[in-house]
Amino acid sequence: MARITASVYTSHVPAIGAAIDHHKTGEPYWRKVFAGYDFSRQWIQSNRPDVVFLVYNDHATAFSLELIPTFAIGTAAQFRPADEGYGARPVPTVVGHPELASHIAQSVIQDDFDLTIVNRMDVDHGLTVPLSLMCGELDPAKQAWPFKVIPFAVNVVQYPVPSGRRCFALGQAIRKAVESFDEDLNVQIWGTGGMSHQLQGARAGLINAEWDSRFLDRLIAEPATLAQLPHVEYVREAGSEGIELVMWLIARGAMADIAGGAAPRVAHRFYHVPASNTAVGHLILENQA
Ligand code: DHB
Ligand code: FE
């Protein structure tokens, strides 16, 4: 059977992608950000998944105000890196897993979560920057991403957005779906976006390191309680774009301890301010074998 072996959490700042694509990762400003991922690029070599279920948000790239799915699962065979206004990132095309994605759609929709099924979608920095952070720079002419990816887009851009509580419950349904897929697959689930940041308005530039640190503590140790936080607290404490953090609760809800198993092992934890306008947070949690 397929198994969720680990969850990975990371911010997805577009300037991080630009720093990689323009070979600036060694500059003093960026070195401090990328240093937090040195461990992770090693870790993923020795914990190589077959498939990553990648929870992210589309930033009005594939979707727009014309069409706003709350939860959208990518069931296509491949997904092209999107042109977000300055050309597509020079990264490999993302290869999907249509069979597993369709199975998850079937199972999760039968568990009463109304997913939108997406058979064609370009993927923006929300998905490609976490891939680059974990896999390093790849030449799209010669190299492929080292695993398949099921994109799972969550609306955290246009209100009303889903609650942390619903995201956490959805993670549990995703776990059940993955673990009922009849093929031996090593699956990881990634939750991306955050941490505190606000890109617009009077509080643009807001960072709240203390709140972020507590969020990481609680995500590890008391996720069910953390899932009860109302939207207004994310926005007040972590800024308008801090609401992206509800996506981390989908990944956390899919871990074994939530279904009665052992607590996960914290393989890695990193936090750094700033990267562009954002506080960068990163966690790797492993399910115990
Ligand atoms: C920034 C962060 C984001 O999450 C995003 O989607 C766009 C920009 C930033 O920090 O600049
Ligand atoms: Fe974002």
Side-chain angles (χ1 to χ4, degrees):
M1 300 303 255
R3 281 269 166 276
I4 292 182
T5 53
S7 52
V8 173
Y9 308 81
T10 180
S11 308
H12 66 207
V13 186
I16 291 177
I20 295 170
D21 301 343
H22 296 112
H23 316 293
K24 291 183 174 169
T25 58
E27 290 184 359
Y29 178 91
W30 288 113
R31 206 162 48 219
K32 296 187 202 116
V33 175
F34 289 101
Y37 292 83
D38 288 344
F39 171 89
S40 313
R41 288 193 308 277
Q42 293 296 319
W43 176 87
I44 199 116
Q45 304 274 351
S46 42
N47 295 272
R48 176 78 63 90
D50 299 305
V51 186
V52 169
F53 189 90
L54 206 159
V55 181
Y56 76 109
N57 68 293
D58 178 79
H59 299 74
T61 305
F63 306 124
S64 70
L65 289 177
E66 292 178 3
L67 176 69
I68 309 169
T70 301
F71 299 117
I73 186 164
T75 44
Q78 53 178 44
F79 304 89
R80 286 182 322 189
D83 181 348
E84 297 178 59
Y86 38 87
R89 290 193 60 213
V91 294
T93 292
V94 172
V95 174
H97 197 305
E99 297 80 12
L100 179 58
S102 304
H103 170 83
I104 294 171
Q106 159 73 18
S107 177
V108 168
I109 291 171
Q110 293 315 307
D111 270 339
D112 303 334
F113 292 89
D114 305 319
L115 308 185
T116 298
I117 293 163
V118 186
N119 286 313
R120 194 174 72 193
M121 176 167 69
D122 290 352
V123 286
D124 75 8
H125 70 271
L127 184 132
T128 62
V129 166
L131 283 177
S132 293
L133 278 167
M134 294 298 293
C135 302
E137 190 180 350
L138 296 177
D139 177 351
K142 301 192 195 111
Q143 292 167 295
W145 297 113
F147 40 76
K148 294 180 173 176
V149 176
I150 298 175
F152 191 83
V154 179
N155 170 40
V156 289
V157 168
Q158 177 59 47
Y159 284 79
V161 305
S163 66
R165 187 177 58 248
R166 183 143 179 85
C167 288
F168 189 62
L170 173 58
Q172 294 169 62
I174 291 166
R175 172 184 176 77
K176 184 175 150 198
V178 168
E179 306 226 328
S180 62
F181 187 67
D182 195 12
E183 190 182 325
D184 279 330
L185 290 177
N186 178 336
V187 179
Q188 291 178 5
I189 183 163
W190 295 8
T192 69
M195 294 192 81
S196 57
H197 62 305
Q198 172 148 344
L199 302 177
Q200 72 246 296
R203 298 201 308 161
L206 178 143
I207 300 281
N208 187 346
E210 223 170 280
W211 189 90
D212 286 340
S213 170
R214 179 103 180 95
F215 184 92
L216 292 172
D217 291 344
R218 297 182 72 193
L219 188 75
I220 295 165
E222 44 166 305
T225 322
L226 180 63
Q228 303 304 318
L229 270 195
H231 290 141
V232 65
E233 174 146 349
Y234 287 89
V235 175
R236 190 199 311 120
E237 299 294 335
S240 52
E241 277 64 49
I243 193 64
E244 290 179 342
L245 285 167
V246 293
M247 296 186 288
W248 293 31
L249 287 162
I250 297 179
R252 187 65 184 88
M255 292 298 281
D257 58 330
I258 311 306
R265 191 179 85 83
V266 181
H268 186 52
R269 176 171 173 163
F270 173 68
Y271 184 77
H272 175 77
V273 176
S276 187
N277 303 292
T278 300
V280 170
H282 176 38
L283 266 185
I284 298 177
L285 301 183
E286 291 173 354
N287 277 330
Q288 313 277 9

